[in-house]
PDB file of all heavy atoms in Angstrom:
ATOM      1  N   ARG A 384    -184.295 -74.985  86.741  1.00 98.00           N
ATOM      2  CA  ARG A 384    -183.820 -75.552  85.474  1.00 98.00           C
ATOM      3  C   ARG A 384    -184.456 -76.922  85.300  1.00 98.00           C
ATOM      4  O   ARG A 384    -184.710 -77.630  86.298  1.00 98.00           O
ATOM      5  CB  ARG A 384    -182.302 -75.669  85.469  1.00 98.00           C
ATOM      6  CG  ARG A 384    -181.608 -74.326  85.612  1.00 98.00           C
ATOM      7  CD  ARG A 384    -180.106 -74.487  85.705  1.00 98.00           C
ATOM      8  NE  ARG A 384    -179.704 -75.219  86.913  1.00 98.00           N
ATOM      9  CZ  ARG A 384    -178.499 -75.783  87.094  1.00 98.00           C
ATOM     10  NH1 ARG A 384    -177.592 -75.712  86.146  1.00 98.00           N
ATOM     11  NH2 ARG A 384    -178.230 -76.418  88.211  1.00 98.00           N
ATOM     12  N   THR A 385    -184.731 -77.323  84.065  1.00 98.00           N
ATOM     13  CA  THR A 385    -185.478 -78.565  83.831  1.00 98.00           C
ATOM     14  C   THR A 385    -184.900 -79.369  82.668  1.00 98.00           C
ATOM     15  O   THR A 385    -184.227 -78.823  81.780  1.00 98.00           O
ATOM     16  CB  THR A 385    -186.954 -78.262  83.506  1.00 98.00           C
ATOM     17  OG1 THR A 385    -187.027 -77.434  82.340  1.00 98.00           O
ATOM     18  CG2 THR A 385    -187.656 -77.572  84.676  1.00 98.00           C
ATOM     19  N   ALA A 386    -185.220 -80.655  82.721  1.00 98.00           N
ATOM     20  CA  ALA A 386    -184.930 -81.546  81.591  1.00 98.00           C
ATOM     21  C   ALA A 386    -186.182 -82.383  81.355  1.00 98.00           C
ATOM     22  O   ALA A 386    -186.710 -82.991  82.297  1.00 98.00           O
ATOM     23  CB  ALA A 386    -183.741 -82.443  81.886  1.00 98.00           C
ATOM     24  N   LEU A 387    -186.654 -82.440  80.140  1.00 98.00           N
ATOM     25  CA  LEU A 387    -187.801 -83.241  79.750  1.00 98.00           C
ATOM     26  C   LEU A 387    -187.287 -84.385  78.886  1.00 98.00           C
ATOM     27  O   LEU A 387    -186.753 -84.164  77.791  1.00 98.00           O
ATOM     28  CB  LEU A 387    -188.845 -82.415  78.997  1.00 98.00           C
ATOM     29  CG  LEU A 387    -190.113 -83.164  78.550  1.00 98.00           C
ATOM     30  CD1 LEU A 387    -190.841 -83.748  79.765  1.00 98.00           C
ATOM     31  CD2 LEU A 387    -191.028 -82.230  77.763  1.00 98.00           C
ATOM     32  N   LEU A 388    -187.417 -85.616  79.387  1.00 98.00           N
ATOM     33  CA  LEU A 388    -186.765 -86.763  78.757  1.00 98.00           C
ATOM     34  C   LEU A 388    -187.786 -87.860  78.462  1.00 98.00           C
ATOM     35  O   LEU A 388    -188.708 -88.099  79.246  1.00 98.00           O
ATOM     36  CB  LEU A 388    -185.690 -87.327  79.699  1.00 98.00           C
ATOM     37  CG  LEU A 388    -184.747 -86.284  80.330  1.00 98.00           C
ATOM     38  CD1 LEU A 388    -183.847 -86.938  81.367  1.00 98.00           C
ATOM     39  CD2 LEU A 388    -183.928 -85.573  79.267  1.00 98.00           C
ATOM     40  N   ASN A 389    -187.592 -88.515  77.317  1.00 98.00           N
ATOM     41  CA  ASN A 389    -188.462 -89.610  76.945  1.00 98.00           C
ATOM     42  C   ASN A 389    -187.646 -90.797  76.448  1.00 98.00           C
ATOM     43  O   ASN A 389    -186.594 -90.622  75.812  1.00 98.00           O
ATOM     44  CB  ASN A 389    -189.408 -89.186  75.800  1.00 98.00           C
ATOM     45  CG  ASN A 389    -190.420 -88.161  76.232  1.00 98.00           C
ATOM     46  OD1 ASN A 389    -191.406 -88.474  76.893  1.00 98.00           O
ATOM     47  ND2 ASN A 389    -190.181 -86.909  75.856  1.00 98.00           N
ATOM     48  N   GLY A 390    -188.108 -92.000  76.755  1.00 98.00           N
ATOM     49  CA  GLY A 390    -187.465 -93.215  76.266  1.00 98.00           C
ATOM     50  C   GLY A 390    -188.515 -94.272  75.986  1.00 98.00           C
ATOM     51  O   GLY A 390    -189.590 -94.277  76.610  1.00 98.00           O
ATOM     52  N   GLY A 391    -188.246 -95.154  75.053  1.00 98.00           N
ATOM     53  CA  GLY A 391    -189.207 -96.199  74.748  1.00 98.00           C
ATOM     54  C   GLY A 391    -188.667 -97.263  73.828  1.00 98.00           C
ATOM     55  O   GLY A 391    -187.677 -97.036  73.110  1.00 98.00           O
ATOM     56  N   VAL A 392    -189.315 -98.417  73.868  1.00 98.00           N
ATOM     57  CA  VAL A 392    -188.959 -99.497  72.943  1.00 98.00           C
ATOM     58  C   VAL A 392    -190.173 -99.939  72.119  1.00 98.00           C
ATOM     59  O   VAL A 392    -190.055-100.800  71.258  1.00 98.00           O
ATOM     60  CB  VAL A 392    -188.380-100.714  73.705  1.00 98.00           C
ATOM     61  CG1 VAL A 392    -187.039-100.354  74.345  1.00 98.00           C
ATOM     62  CG2 VAL A 392    -189.356-101.261  74.726  1.00 98.00           C
ATOM     63  N   ARG A 393    -191.330 -99.304  72.363  1.00 98.00           N
ATOM     64  CA  ARG A 393    -192.514 -99.606  71.563  1.00 98.00           C
ATOM     65  C   ARG A 393    -193.217 -98.350  71.127  1.00 98.00           C
ATOM     66  O   ARG A 393    -194.443 -98.304  70.989  1.00 98.00           O
ATOM     67  CB  ARG A 393    -193.476-100.524  72.341  1.00 98.00           C
ATOM     68  CG  ARG A 393    -192.926-101.929  72.594  1.00 98.00           C
ATOM     69  CD  ARG A 393    -194.037-102.916  72.822  1.00 98.00           C
ATOM     70  NE  ARG A 393    -194.897-103.040  71.657  1.00 98.00           N
ATOM     71  CZ  ARG A 393    -196.183-103.416  71.696  1.00 98.00           C
ATOM     72  NH1 ARG A 393    -196.759-103.684  72.873  1.00 98.00           N
ATOM     73  NH2 ARG A 393    -196.883-103.525  70.605  1.00 98.00           N
ATOM     74  N   LEU A 394    -192.421 -97.310  70.874  1.00 98.00           N
ATOM     75  CA  LEU A 394    -192.973 -96.039  70.389  1.00 98.00           C
ATOM     76  C   LEU A 394    -191.907 -95.329  69.578  1.00 98.00           C
ATOM     77  O   LEU A 394    -190.823 -95.036  70.081  1.00 98.00           O
ATOM     78  CB  LEU A 394    -193.400 -95.157  71.567  1.00 98.00           C
ATOM     79  CG  LEU A 394    -194.019 -93.804  71.203  1.00 98.00           C
ATOM     80  CD1 LEU A 394    -195.370 -94.010  70.515  1.00 98.00           C
ATOM     81  CD2 LEU A 394    -194.179 -92.930  72.444  1.00 98.00           C
ATOM     82  N   MET A 395    -192.195 -95.055  68.318  1.00 98.00           N
ATOM     83  CA  MET A 395    -191.241 -94.352  67.478  1.00 98.00           C
ATOM     84  C   MET A 395    -191.297 -92.855  67.751  1.00 98.00           C
ATOM     85  O   MET A 395    -192.363 -92.252  67.760  1.00 98.00           O
ATOM     86  CB  MET A 395    -191.527 -94.621  65.993  1.00 98.00           C
ATOM     87  CG  MET A 395    -190.495 -94.031  65.056  1.00 98.00           C
ATOM     88  SD  MET A 395    -190.842 -94.404  63.325  1.00 98.00           S
ATOM     89  CE  MET A 395    -190.563 -96.181  63.332  1.00 98.00           C
TER      90      MET A 395
END
Side-chain angles (χ1 to χ4, degrees):
R384 299 176 296 164
T385 60
L387 181 59
L388 313 173
N389 293 283
V392 294
R393 293 203 62 206
L394 181 67
M395 185 178 293

